[in-house]
Amino acid sequence: MTAKIIDGKGIAADLRGKVADAVHRLARDRGIVPGLAVVLVGNNPASESYVASKMKMTVGSGMRSFDHRLPKETSEAELLGLIARLNADPSVHGILVQLPLPAQIDPHKIIAAVDPAKDVDGFSPVNAGRLCAGLPALAPCTPVGCILLAKTVQPSLAGLEAVVIGRSNIVGKPLAQLLLAENATVTVAHSKTRELAAVCRRADLLFAAVGRPEMVRRDWVKPGATVIDVGVNRVTPAGGRSRIVGDVAFAEVAEVAGAISPVPGGVGPMTIACLLANTVRAACALAGLREPAFGQPPAEDRE
Ligand code: NDP
């Protein structure tokens, strides 16, 4: 069997097109231009590059992008002060604080300080709780992107066995909640899981969010399963050029899976597209308007 390759780039471009249409309608009909504030503390090169792509795509979809760069010595109090100003600024509808933060700043305090209505990363305890409770929430972008990719292969996930490897607050746990909301049967695996390969082999839907290059091998995958690879790992073969690989051994797993998302070109582009979608949803909700669904049904409409 040769798996269908899930074209995250194309699916993300399609979603960004829908976001741009919604932004155009909001500006034309309501005079609202959604604005996303991105806060970067310090100069981590990977963070700089993520922030640059986020800002470019924000402007490209017709929204306003507000760039806040702070030196790496910034104190927690200074950052909390900026968050308070952004919370109060009516031209800002979404606030994103790029992680990781320097050691002197407690990320939990910062995430909790972002107004949940503007928390387009979906990391605040309020949005995490609402997601768990099955209430409408701004859900984290990478997990939403994973669900949208899986649904291009299987439009209904109801009743499917889903295995998520990884239980972080930003990927694994919210992904498990979103899968439950889609009526999948969900197992969350982690570093203490016994017989991980056997657990994975049960999955109709396998999500790998670990951060270990090519950990998931061919014999971990049930024939015909849909495999979504969240991992982003830079590897440098001896004497070779460095490249990015996922958590899944792509070439060998593609021989057995029914569908597989590549790295790069799978989940990564979806994350930014879902961030833009969340910013439009936040702008609509803050103005008391009905939120566009962007392919994800609101919680109360789910089966
Ligand atoms: P974390 O490091 O926060 O979490 C990793 C998870 O993997 C933990 O739950 C850990 O278990 C589990 N794990 C580690 N080793 C093993 C193992 N040997 N067997 C089973 N489980 C294991 O990572 P993130 O969730 O933040 O990110 C995961 C990956 O996804 C990374 O490669 C990251 O770069 C990528 N990523 C990609 C994004 C994108 O847009 N494409 C966005 C966000 C992340 P335990 O809890 O027991 O320690």
Side-chain angles (χ1 to χ4, degrees):
M1 179 184 294
T2 306
K4 170 188 159 47
I5 311 299
I6 303 172
D7 175 17
K9 255 189 184 170
I11 297 162
D14 189 48
L15 176 54
R16 287 199 309 276
K18 289 182 185 151
V19 168
D21 288 347
V23 170
H24 174 73
R25 282 197 305 275
L26 264 179
R28 185 193 61 197
D29 302 341
R30 306 279 178 169
I32 298 169
V33 181
L36 173 65
V38 179
V39 181
L40 176 60
V41 186
N43 40 18
N44 175 320
S47 295
E48 297 254 12
S49 144
Y50 289 139
V51 162
S53 327
K54 285 169 185 170
M55 293 180 61
K56 190 171 150 209
M57 302 264 182
T58 304
V59 173
S61 63
M63 294 193 257
R64 285 198 190 110
S65 170
F66 303 101
D67 184 14
H68 293 272
R69 311 252 168 171
L70 304 178
K72 64 176 186 308
E73 305 77 26
T74 300
S75 70
E76 193 174 271
E78 284 168 323
L79 183 53
L80 286 170
L82 173 60
I83 303 287
R85 291 196 294 283
L86 297 174
N87 283 343
D89 183 342
S91 63
V92 171
H93 304 93
I95 301 171
L96 179 152
V97 181
Q98 185 66 45
L99 301 176
L101 290 167
Q104 72 276 16
I105 301 176
D106 177 355
H108 298 291
K109 254 195 201 167
I110 301 302
I111 289 167
V114 174
D115 179 348
K118 297 187 177 186
D119 167 36
V120 286
D121 256 340
F123 293 163
S124 76
V126 170
N127 279 312
R130 292 183 67 87
L131 183 62
C132 269
L135 296 169
L138 285 167
C141 306
T142 300
V144 170
C146 291
I147 297 285
L148 293 177
L149 291 185
K151 288 179 89 170
T152 62
V153 183
Q154 277 143 313
S156 171
L157 309 183
L160 298 180
E161 282 282 345
V163 172
V164 179
I165 323 174
R167 57 174 165 179
S168 70
N169 288 337
I170 64 170
V171 189
K173 282 183 201 158
L175 179 54
Q177 292 299 335
L178 288 166
L179 285 162
L180 281 176
E182 295 287 343
N183 298 312
T185 302
V186 186
T187 302
V188 182
H190 46 78
S191 67
K192 307 289 186 290
T193 297
R194 280 182 270 167
E195 307 293 348
L196 181 59
V199 170
C200 293
R201 262 196 307 275
R202 296 205 304 254
D204 303 307
L205 297 168
L206 179 60
F207 299 85
V210 183
R212 291 192 177 248
E214 302 182 326
M215 183 181 88
V216 175
R217 312 305 305 193
R218 178 196 170 106
D219 62 346
W220 294 31
V221 176
K222 173 160 126 180
T226 296
V227 179
I228 307 290
D229 190 353
V230 185
V232 178
N233 310 288
R234 183 169 289 282
V235 293
T236 312
R241 286 173 55 191
S242 83
R243 62 192 179 103
I244 299 290
V245 299
D247 290 343
V248 177
F250 182 85
E252 60 183 75
V253 170
E255 287 173 9
V256 63
I260 183 168
S261 70
V263 177
V267 174
M270 293 301 289
T271 297
I272 297 187
C274 291
L275 171 71
L276 303 181
N278 267 356
T279 306
V280 174
R281 292 182 60 214
C284 290
L286 285 161
L289 303 171
R290 195 182 152 81
E291 298 172 27
F294 296 123
Q296 239 227 324
E300 65 269 28
D301 289 356
R302 290 186 188 143
E303 290 165 52

